[in-house]
Amino acid sequence: MLFKQQALLRQKLFVLGSLAIGSLLYLVTRVGSLDRPQPICPIEGRSDQTHIPEQIPLRTLQFKRGLLHELRKGNATTEQIRLHNLVRQLPQAIIIGVRKGGTRALLEMLNLHPAVVKASQEVHFFDNDPNYAKGIEWYRGKMPFSHPHQITIEKSPAYFITEEVPERIFKMNSSIKLLLIVREPTTRAVSDYTQVLEGKERKNKTYYKFEKLAIDSNTCEVNTKYKAVRTSIYTKHLEKWLKYFPVEQFHIVDGDRLITDPLPELQLVEQFLNLPTRISQYNLYFNATRGFYCLRFNIVFNKCLAGSKGRIHPDVDPSVVTKLRKFFHPFNQKFYQIIGRTFNWP
């Protein structure tokens, strides 16, 4: 009888011991998987004054989607900000343009990266005299909270074509990284026109046809006074920036490719910003209804750009399209030479 009781006791102890060991192993494995950073190979061969750690822990991404969201809503407390060592940083990179080139899409896609924090709205600090007069601390106050190791990016497309902006940005940070996203110039001009046209229609106002604005009726030549045309002469604007910044501080993004195949363009930007590669094909999925790529942050949070993106362009007289493309061609060739990159533009 005693022997049976001892055997039963040993059996119970064995079962309890197995359960305890199993639970301990599970906890060790679980905690290790939560805290372990994803192995990342750093980008080598680049010197950059912006310090980005070679490895970004996964919890950085969790934090970014959690507390930073509360900060944007104004719900985070001062104590939370202090405890998490949060700061408002001046941008280490700026998307300077170009209008209707895809600046919003680029900013939102870069925001997929856990080391990037974006300003939600266009700040218009450097191109707006009243805003600029408020000073650099006013500008800093418009930036989002971030960890010190994260980089802040803002975008204001008017920066690219505004005369005073290059010098003003240079005075703030002469080593800042500048992102310029461009599209085929004629397509960009029509897109520019389409946005203005939609605004006029919302106000029940009439507006000239694109052909009337783009072509001078007196000379039958391209109307260079039309802002949509002037903005598409990229080399003219870039030359003003090159008086202050070397070409190595610019990265030119192909806005047409960002629409059709965004990942390679985003990976080039990651390299330019000296960021470890974190944006993957998982984060980008094609929405057939919308006709362009949307963003996937995780299994529960997806995001598409606003409905105003991807507007249908009006039909333009083919002869006007041909005239515009012929006009832009020599400017495009010079642009290619300056930036060291060629695009498949007519």
Side-chain angles (χ1 to χ4, degrees):
M1 182 69 176
L2 180 62
F3 176 78
K4 288 183 179 180
Q5 289 177 340
Q6 290 176 337
L8 183 61
L9 180 60
R10 283 196 298 271
Q11 185 177 6
K12 289 181 178 179
L13 289 173
F14 175 78
V15 171
L16 290 173
S18 299
L19 289 172
I21 292 171
S23 299
L24 181 61
L25 288 172
Y26 171 78
L27 288 172
V28 170
T29 304
R30 178 63 175 163
V31 171
S33 66
L34 286 173
D35 287 344
R36 188 184 305 118
Q38 180 180 345
I40 301 171
C41 296
I43 304 298
E44 296 182 353
R46 286 184 174 270
S47 60
D48 182 26
Q49 297 183 15
T50 301
H51 174 69
I52 301 295
E54 293 180 357
Q55 294 185 335
I56 307 295
L58 256 179
R59 55 180 170 270
T60 299
L61 180 59
Q62 296 164 350
F63 167 83
K64 181 178 178 184
R65 303 306 170 207
L67 184 57
L68 288 183
H69 179 65
E70 294 302 310
L71 283 166
R72 283 194 292 271
K73 295 192 301 181
N75 295 338
T77 65
T78 303
E79 184 65 14
Q80 285 177 310
I81 294 171
R82 186 186 66 80
L83 287 175
H84 288 281
N85 194 26
L86 296 175
V87 292
R88 291 187 191 271
Q89 302 184 81
L90 292 173
Q92 297 94 327
I94 299 179
I95 300 174
I96 59 174
V98 62
R99 172 181 162 93
K100 305 313 300 173
T103 57
R104 173 55 62 181
L106 177 60
L107 183 67
E108 296 293 345
M109 289 177 178
L110 289 178
N111 192 49
L112 290 164
H113 200 292
V116 171
V117 180
K118 69 177 178 69
S120 298
Q121 303 296 324
E122 293 179 9
V123 183
H124 289 285
F125 177 62
F126 298 103
D127 66 310
N128 182 290
D129 290 341
N131 284 347
Y132 190 68
K134 295 174 183 176
I136 201 70
E137 289 308 311
W138 178 88
Y139 182 52
R140 188 195 301 273
K142 295 297 181 180
M143 296 300 112
F145 283 100
S146 64
H147 279 314
H149 73 260
Q150 293 175 312
I151 67 171
T152 298
I153 297 180
E154 75 120 325
K155 73 102 174 174
S156 294
Y159 288 168
F160 183 56
I161 64 170
T162 304
E163 189 86 26
E164 300 82 8
V165 170
E167 181 180 7
R168 289 174 174 179
I169 292 181
F170 180 83
K171 287 179 177 178
M172 179 190 72
N173 182 358
S174 61
S175 62
I176 197 165
K177 299 206 168 196
L178 302 166
L179 295 166
L180 176 66
I181 179 167
V182 294
R183 295 190 68 190
E184 189 278 314
T186 301
T187 302
R188 195 222 63 82
V190 175
S191 180
D192 197 326
Y193 166 83
T194 304
Q195 177 170 295
V196 175
L197 175 64
E198 184 179 276
K200 297 287 187 181
E201 290 176 340
R202 282 199 303 267
K203 298 176 182 178
N204 294 318
K205 293 183 178 180
T206 58
Y207 196 49
Y208 292 109
K209 292 186 66 175
F210 176 78
E211 294 86 343
K212 178 73 173 177
L213 296 168
I215 304 298
D216 188 319
S217 58
N218 294 321
T219 64
C220 293
E221 298 298 328
V222 173
N223 180 15
T224 55
K225 294 181 180 179
Y226 178 38
K227 186 176 180 180
V229 169
R230 289 202 317 273
T231 300
S232 285
I233 308 175
Y234 304 136
T235 184
K236 291 290 187 182
H237 304 292
L238 184 58
E239 285 171 349
K240 296 174 184 176
W241 286 83
L242 292 173
K243 294 177 182 177
Y244 296 92
F245 300 96
V247 71
E248 292 78 17
Q249 278 177 237
F250 296 85
H251 178 72
I252 313 302
V253 180
D254 185 341
D256 296 305
R257 192 183 184 199
L258 194 74
I259 296 172
T260 59
D261 187 18
L263 184 58
E265 287 299 314
L266 294 174
Q267 290 173 336
L268 289 174
V269 177
E270 285 179 321
Q271 293 176 24
F272 173 71
L273 297 177
N274 201 31
L275 294 171
T277 301
R278 290 299 296 271
I279 302 174
S280 69
Q281 198 61 59
Y282 169 81
N283 301 118
L284 303 159
Y285 68 95
F286 187 77
N287 186 313
T289 303
R290 301 293 299 278
F292 49 77
Y293 279 86
C294 294
L295 315 179
R296 181 186 291 114
F297 290 87
N298 51 48
I299 59 175
V300 296
F301 181 43
N302 298 342
K303 180 178 182 178
C304 282
L305 297 180
S308 61
K309 305 302 178 183
R311 297 179 181 89
I312 297 176
H313 293 180
D315 292 329
V316 178
D317 187 325
S319 66
V320 171
V321 171
T322 300
K323 186 182 288 286
L324 283 168
R325 287 177 172 172
K326 185 177 179 180
F327 168 81
F328 287 125
H329 181 74
F331 296 110
N332 295 342
Q333 296 302 309
K334 188 173 182 180
F335 185 63
Y336 300 157
Q337 292 174 1
I338 293 173
I339 67 174
R341 183 177 184 181
T342 302
F343 299 107
N344 296 321
W345 297 342

